[in-house]
Amino acid sequence: MDRRPRRHLLSIQDLSDADLRHLVARSADYAAGRVRPADRLRGLVTAVYFRRTSTRTRTAFSSGAVRLGSQLISYGPGDLQLNTGETVGDTTRVLSEMVDLFVARTADPVAELRAFAEQDRMGVINAMSAEEHPTQALADLSTLTQRFGRVDGLRVLYVGEGNNTAAALALALSRFTGTRLHLRTPPGYGLDPDVLAAARVAAGRSGSSVSEAHHTSDLPEVDVVYTTRWQTTGTTKPDPDWRRVFAPFRVDGALLAASPRAVFMHDLPAHRGEEVTAGVLDGHRSIAFEQARHKMSSAQAALEWCAG
């Protein structure tokens, strides 16, 4: 078994600027076919552990690992003894003797994944936690790289809940030079204040900007309009009237018209008629399914990087 030290990908904030740019560029290279994936993880074992439903992320990491030459073990929500009270520490101690890479989607606090990562024998990848979805951001920026030839200088309007996808997007986009991220979130459903503050600090270093408002009037002209599903995996909303609050934040033809040259992005799955109309999602300006394809290339970049 290859016992070289592994790296972990738990949060965009844990990455250096150089590492983030490398991962985005590497993902774009995989997506464009400039890198052949065969045998880069040959001899390694990758475990995927998904406690929440997943189509794109689970398939991307599973398929990506196999295409890189890794053997694959798949765990569902009831397969590990964590369900019977075994500690994360004991589970990690055992798994790290048998597995090289551990990909986990929990939709729970990232602190649990950090506990898995308190060793360097098994690389741990956050495939979605409550606070952040870092590999989604890699896929997003990889998509932008292939579409525009760059991330630097792009203007992005994010419309909808300040969820884990929005958090990762803000933390990643703000690290690139001259970007402009405009967040328009429903009142009471904005980006976590600590995440917003961290993104603004990063933007200050890179000459970018991150702003947030809670309305959809006076929209700026941008290169990209982005939204996500209103009911994110593993979350509930205490306000029974939340749909009324969210309704003005639906992306429709009128909202998209404010940026006549913009492309539309969505992390999927989508609910047509809720956060986005069918005309926008299925229209000629939508690159949502191109974005989904980049989930596998970003998974391959993350797996390769964490393998060391």
Side-chain angles (χ1 to χ4, degrees):
M1 188 173 181
D2 181 351
R3 298 314 315 185
R4 75 184 71 181
R6 310 296 178 196
R7 291 183 283 205
H8 310 299
L9 178 50
L10 305 179
S11 169
I12 295 296
Q13 294 189 80
D14 297 336
L15 299 172
S16 68
D17 289 348
D19 286 337
L20 176 58
R21 284 182 175 270
H22 165 78
L23 284 163
V24 171
R26 191 67 166 171
S27 174
D29 284 344
Y30 272 122
R34 291 187 290 267
V35 179
R36 293 189 176 275
D39 294 335
R40 293 182 182 274
L41 296 184
R42 184 178 182 181
L44 301 187
V45 176
T46 299
V48 294
Y49 173 45
F50 278 63
R51 288 211 294 258
R52 300 288 184 173
T53 57
S54 174
T55 298
R56 279 148 292 276
T57 304
R58 183 170 183 170
T59 306
F61 273 102
S62 300
S63 180
V66 170
R67 289 172 186 269
L68 288 168
S70 177
Q71 299 296 307
L72 187 69
I73 301 172
S74 183
Y75 301 118
D79 290 339
L80 296 180
Q81 295 287 5
L82 290 167
N83 283 358
T84 66
E86 184 173 39
T87 66
V88 171
D90 287 353
T91 300
T92 302
R93 185 172 180 178
V94 172
L95 289 180
S96 64
E97 293 290 339
M98 304 178 186
V99 170
D100 301 286
L101 296 162
F102 184 71
V103 181
R105 165 174 281 193
T106 66
D108 292 319
V110 72
E112 180 185 12
L113 295 179
R114 293 198 180 280
F116 276 111
E118 290 180 356
Q119 44 74 41
D120 65 357
R121 298 167 66 84
M122 176 182 73
V124 179
I125 297 176
N126 176 5
M128 193 182 81
S129 62
E131 300 96 333
E132 189 181 338
H133 196 348
T135 60
Q136 179 64 54
L138 298 183
D140 295 341
L141 271 58
S142 171
T143 306
L144 295 176
T145 298
Q146 190 163 38
R147 170 61 59 147
F148 294 97
R150 72 190 198 285
V151 175
D152 295 319
L154 291 179
R155 302 164 298 168
V156 178
L157 171 65
Y158 175 90
V159 183
E161 187 173 21
N163 56 24
N164 46 23
T165 290
L169 180 68
L171 292 169
L173 194 65
S174 60
R175 302 273 286 275
F176 285 76
T177 304
T179 60
R180 300 287 181 266
L181 175 60
H182 306 273
L183 297 151
R184 295 297 177 94
T185 57
Y189 295 93
L191 205 62
D192 178 275
D194 290 339
V195 171
L196 183 59
R200 284 174 168 165
V201 169
R205 292 196 301 264
S206 62
S208 299
S209 67
V210 178
S211 63
E212 184 177 44
H214 304 298
H215 58 80
T216 54
S217 59
D218 302 320
L219 293 175
E221 184 172 351
V222 294
D223 305 297
V224 181
V225 175
Y226 192 138
T227 195
T228 65
R229 188 167 70 167
W230 286 347
Q231 290 181 295
T232 307
T233 301
T235 64
T236 59
K237 296 177 175 61
D239 179 7
D241 201 29
W242 67 267
R243 289 183 185 275
R244 180 187 59 80
V245 177
F246 274 66
F249 296 84
R250 177 178 296 111
V251 178
D252 56 16
L255 188 150
L256 202 60
S259 295
R261 296 181 179 84
V263 298
F264 172 74
M265 296 178 72
H266 191 304
D267 60 351
L268 300 179
H271 283 182
R272 292 168 177 82
E274 287 197 350
E275 76 277 3
V276 61
T277 61
V280 170
L281 181 63
D282 302 317
H284 70 280
R285 293 165 65 183
S286 173
I287 59 171
F289 289 91
E290 176 183 332
Q291 182 183 356
R293 181 171 58 85
H294 281 253
K295 293 284 286 186
M296 187 174 76
S297 65
S298 67
Q300 290 173 316
L303 289 164
E304 180 186 68
W305 184 80
C306 289

